[in-house]
Amino acid sequence: MQKFMNNFYLVWFVPEEYKYFWAEYRSGFSEVIIYFLTAFALSLSIVTNSDELDSFGNLIFLFFLNLPFVYAFPRILVYILDYKARELGASGEPKIFLSFSKYSLLVFLLTVPFVILMKSFEFHSGGTFILYLSFLSLVYFFNLGRGF
């Protein structure tokens, strides 16, 4: 748990130092937990936002639907950015950047409290949810830019 919190701190508060401490705080178990937490948070926010999908079966189905996306999204993004960096002549380290992008996925945990708050204010349309997800995606990309 301490490695998880140290990585979380490094990714979100001092991303320029993450590459120096990556080998020391590396934990594969923490990265797997991030996949499950992010997929569950996205699934729970979709179920909470919708009036028709409010069952436990839908939550489990959406969890297994979001899990491959959460697993593949950072990998595809890292390989594209690494290709562009090597094209410009920089020597990147894709393993470190992949780990950094996995920890950056934790920003999507904020979808659940936002959806619950918007539902209590009766702003639970799909447009509000998509607008908020695009805002979180911008925060995710901004953090990746800080760490790259």
Side-chain angles (χ1 to χ4, degrees), residues 16-36:
E16 60 275 354
E17 295 180 9
Y18 183 76
K19 58 185 167 191
Y20 303 118
F21 295 102
W22 175 72
E24 183 179 345
Y25 295 133
R26 186 174 171 197
S27 173
F29 180 71
S30 296
E31 293 174 358
V32 171
I33 294 296
I34 289 170
Y35 290 142
F36 287 115

Side-chain angles (χ1 to χ4, degrees), residues 46-103:
I46 291 170
V47 167
T48 305
N49 192 37
S50 174
D51 292 330
E52 293 85 23
L53 298 173
D54 54 354
S55 72
F56 186 71
N58 287 330
L59 178 68
I60 298 299
F61 173 72
L62 287 170
F63 171 74
F64 286 116
L65 192 66
N66 284 328
L67 196 58
F69 170 74
V70 169
Y71 179 77
F73 181 68
R75 292 180 185 280
I76 293 170
L77 188 65
V78 163
Y79 292 132
I80 290 171
L81 291 176
D82 185 55
Y83 173 75
K84 290 294 182 184
R86 288 179 193 263
E87 202 174 68
L88 294 173
S91 61
E93 296 181 13
K95 288 183 180 181
I96 295 174
F97 192 54
L98 180 61
S99 178
F100 185 86
S101 66
K102 288 176 189 176
Y103 278 97

